[in-house]
Amino acid sequence: MSNLIIKRPENIFGLFSSLLNINGVGEKKLRLLEKKIGPYIINLLFYLPIKSINRFKNTSLKNINHGEIITCEVEVIEINMQPYKFRNKNNISRIITFGLDEEKSIRLDIIYFGKNTQYLKNIYKVGNKIIISGKFESFNGLGQIVHPDYVLTDNQRGQIPKIEPVYPLFLGVNQKFIYKIINQSIKKIPNIPEWLSDKVVEEYKFSNWQDSITKLHNPENIADAELNSIYRKRLAFDELLANQISMLLIKNKISKINRNLSSKNNSQIIEKFYKSLPFKLTKNQIEVVNEIKKDIHDDKTMVRMLQGDVGSGKTIVALISMLHAISDGSQSVLLVPTEILALQHYNTVKNLLTPINMEVVLLLGESRSIHSKKERMEIINNIAEGNVKVIIGTHALISKKITYKNLSLAVIDEQHRFGVKQRYEITQKSTNVNILVMTATPIPRSLALTAYGDMDISIINEKPIGRQPIKTYVLPQSKINEVLLSMERAIKNGALIYWVCPLIEESENIDLIAVNERFDFLINYFPNIEISLVHGKQNQIEREKAINNFKIGKSKVLVATTVIEVGVDIPDATIMVIECAERFGLSQIHQLRGRVGRSNKESSCILLYKSQLNPIAHSRLKILKETDDGFKISENDLILRGPGEVLGSKQSGNIDFKFIDLHLHSDLIPVARDEAVNLLKNDNDHKKINTLLSIFENNEAIKLLKGG
Ligand code: ADP
Ligand code: MG
């Protein structure tokens, strides 16, 4: 749905014009800026300074300290362009000046590296008085500035900003350039009607949008450009508002068309199913099933999140919900993020449904499918014609080619691996699709609101009976021999062990080497024990064989990358070793750790870290040792690593805020929500909403605004 062309309101065309319209930006710079900042003027305006500096805090050479910024007037005394060696560099020029403040005799050397002496000769002439601004250094007892930021004549003094924003840089641009092009962009900001209510503007003493963005780039005080500045708060509010409006629009769209579920009673089937289950549902699971059942049979469309820590037993709840949903002859899908998980769920569900003679199909991506082309076509046809009711699969389930006869429930497992867009797309597959998203990473309320709007929430907060807490150890890599020794003992006693090596996307090949090396190492170390290897680059057959051998206990150790992070359920595995644990997010480790402790046997998790870990990183890992509470862990991730980690938006592109800092601005969320509700009520406000959504490029939502 994102390839549709969006028509933006005319009054903000300028904000979306090309950066080529800016002086100093040619084709080459354009390519660079497009890559790093974005293609439009608005992207430049949203490129925020990381701090600001007061250039006029120090104006005298008398009491200046090493490393401080100084702006002062000096007189050029001597120009020395003889090349000589200095800090291991040749070709340096030294211009000797004297300060012109109250201590006229203090010497300040201006140093330049490089060969272009002509340029220097043009600006420096003996006897001239100039204004210099730059970082003061004290070097061998002499005061100096290397490559000053500003060199101006007295009447150009005004060109030095009093408070100067400092932008993050990248190769090919410098501060002056960014500052210059952003200030040109500011001049292009049109007049935009206020979308906030008077009440909110007054309550928070907000300036308007234009002024707020201008002040962030042209601060009058150091505080203006800081994270908690009022200008930034205003823009964060706007961003939250746009976010909440989008959530409401998507939710309205989803729950607009009412399905008339003639809940034909299939309680017999479900009763039979309960009887065939190898265990009894916990009280908590039953409560949640009832909540979902009620939603499904009610004439509103469900948008519900099921939270339950790793191992709490969400899959079975999903399956029973699916059975309820298909009671009127419709279809239901279980959407999962990885093939391993899809296959596992498929096998589990197939076993569970066999006693009640219910069919289930698996659909994977074309290239990865375990089915032949012909088989796959047949599955797709059966889905389209409604011959199969229970469907499990990966992203393939939302691909354009797949159609459904009548889809009534989509369960999305491990929601943090999916984006808003995918959740939305699955709802487009039929006229009215109930949504159940499942997550093991509990999301703080504020974050949940920004990521999902107001979903209903069900919580499983007890684990199946008999589970023992997982013992967690945090050890330096140097202790690996002790770990290996205790592994050996454990294997003799029948343990199955996961050994996880980190995988970092940027260099998958290098990471694979690490996994393979560890695999070889362990094979050598345990010559009489079978060990399996699993990673993302294997083909389906190899991978399934590896996991299956481990599952049935033929191999005792499964060396793996994070492909096993989500969902993998092998109750007999009781030990988890994670190497380079410091490279993972806490919630991610919590997920990984959740692969053990899935039966009533005692389990343990060993977190190995590279020696010389800094104290903060070390104490971070220790949080995992101290608590098994996914909620606490995810809050710590939020504090330490930001929302991307908690929502898993790195994979899913869920949330990419420009102004919002959830620590600082979370109290604005409910206010923004109310504001969003009010704005949407009034049709006359739709133009304003369109402008706001366009500015934040919430294109998906704009389409809903127009359509609805
Ligand atoms: P998660 O919530 O992490 O997805 P799963 O649904 O994979 O957890 O369940 C973890 C394990 O617990 C599975 O082996 C499942 O069969 C088992 N399980 C689920 N519910 C119960 C229960 N009520 N009693 C005993 N075992 C259960
Ligand atoms: Mg699961």
Side-chain angles (χ1 to χ4, degrees), residues 60-73:
S60 160
L61 284 164
K62 203 169 153 199
N63 294 316
I64 182 85
N65 295 317
H66 180 84
E68 287 182 328
I69 300 284
I70 183 166
T71 302
C72 65
E73 189 173 17

Side-chain angles (χ1 to χ4, degrees), residues 171-408:
L171 201 69
V173 304
N174 59 25
Q175 287 298 340
K176 273 214 183 123
F177 176 72
I178 297 258
Y179 183 72
K180 206 179 87 195
I181 59 175
I182 286 183
N183 272 286
Q184 283 188 60
S185 311
I186 285 175
K187 298 210 180 78
K188 295 185 191 287
I189 299 180
N191 252 329
I192 298 174
E194 179 62 82
W195 45 70
L196 297 185
S197 68
D198 294 346
K199 186 170 157 265
V200 164
V201 170
E202 273 158 32
E203 182 175 339
Y204 292 102
K205 304 203 167 44
F206 283 150
S207 305
N208 66 27
W209 188 83
Q210 294 93 309
D211 286 350
S212 301
I213 199 113
T214 306
K215 285 280 170 39
L216 281 185
H217 294 294
N218 286 313
E220 281 165 9
N221 297 297
I222 289 283
D224 290 352
E226 277 174 1
L227 256 179
N228 57 1
S229 99
I230 182 74
Y231 305 111
R232 191 169 172 130
K233 190 168 178 175
R234 150 88 214 215
L235 294 159
F237 193 95
D238 291 334
E239 192 171 19
L240 282 170
L241 179 60
N243 165 272
Q244 289 302 312
I245 290 174
S246 306
M247 293 297 163
L248 286 169
L249 285 170
I250 289 176
K251 184 166 184 190
N252 288 346
K253 165 83 183 172
I254 291 173
S255 48
K256 200 163 237 170
I257 327 125
N258 291 336
R259 120 188 259 96
N260 249 326
L261 197 113
S262 57
S263 62
K264 233 196 291 168
N265 209 335
N266 69 339
S267 60
Q268 260 176 340
I269 295 183
I270 291 177
E271 209 155 283
K272 200 168 155 204
F273 176 77
Y274 276 120
K275 280 203 186 115
S276 69
L277 265 184
F279 48 76
K280 268 208 162 97
L281 292 195
T282 62
K283 204 169 129 255
N284 206 189
Q285 281 170 321
I286 293 170
E287 281 163 10
V288 171
V289 165
N290 284 335
E291 281 171 356
I292 295 168
K293 189 172 116 189
K294 191 164 155 285
D295 273 7
I296 287 175
H297 290 301
D298 153 343
D299 60 0
K300 265 200 355 249
T301 307
M302 171 174 79
V303 184
R304 184 173 283 278
M305 174 186 284
L306 171 56
Q307 283 187 2
D309 215 341
V310 268
S312 61
K314 295 184 292 295
T315 315
I316 190 70
V317 172
L319 181 59
I320 296 170
S321 308
M322 291 168 86
L323 292 179
H324 280 293
I326 62 174
S327 62
D328 65 343
S330 59
Q331 296 167 297
S332 170
V333 299
L334 175 58
L335 182 59
V336 298
T338 66
E339 286 153 28
I340 291 185
L341 193 49
L343 205 64
Q344 174 191 290
H345 278 337
Y346 172 71
N347 288 326
T348 311
V349 169
K350 200 163 87 180
N351 285 337
L352 290 172
L353 293 186
T354 305
I356 59 166
N357 282 324
M358 175 90 62
E359 197 192 349
V360 47
V361 292
L362 173 70
L363 187 75
L364 301 176
E366 204 159 2
S367 57
R368 322 282 312 198
S369 187
I370 51 168
H371 303 108
S372 69
K373 248 196 158 123
K374 193 166 151 253
E375 285 170 328
R376 193 168 182 273
M377 271 321 294
E378 211 173 289
I379 293 171
I380 292 176
N381 276 336
N382 279 333
I383 294 174
E385 279 164 21
N387 301 335
V388 286
K389 312 294 182 199
V390 181
I391 304 154
I392 294 176
T394 55
H395 289 77
L397 290 171
I398 36 180
S399 99
K400 283 212 176 63
K401 284 185 228 151
I402 310 299
T403 56
Y404 298 81
K405 176 87 187 303
N406 182 359
L407 182 61
S408 67

Side-chain angles (χ1 to χ4, degrees), residues 96 116 209 250 252 323 347 384 482-483 569 604 606 608 613 670:
I96 299 166
N116 188 355
W209 188 83
I250 289 176
N252 288 346
L323 292 179
N347 288 326
E482 289 160 44
V483 174
D569 183 38
S604 49
I606 298 154
L608 291 174
L613 197 59

Side-chain angles (χ1 to χ4, degrees), residues 18-33 44 172-174 176-182 184-185 188:
S18 159
L19 298 181
L20 279 177
N21 296 330
I22 292 197
N23 289 336
V25 179
E27 290 290 346
K28 205 169 143 211
K29 278 276 193 306
L30 178 71
R31 276 195 298 276
L32 198 62
L33 292 171
L44 261 186
V173 304
N174 59 25
K176 273 214 183 123
F177 176 72
I178 297 258
Y179 183 72
K180 206 179 87 195
I181 59 175
I182 286 183
Q184 283 188 60
S185 311
K188 295 185 191 287

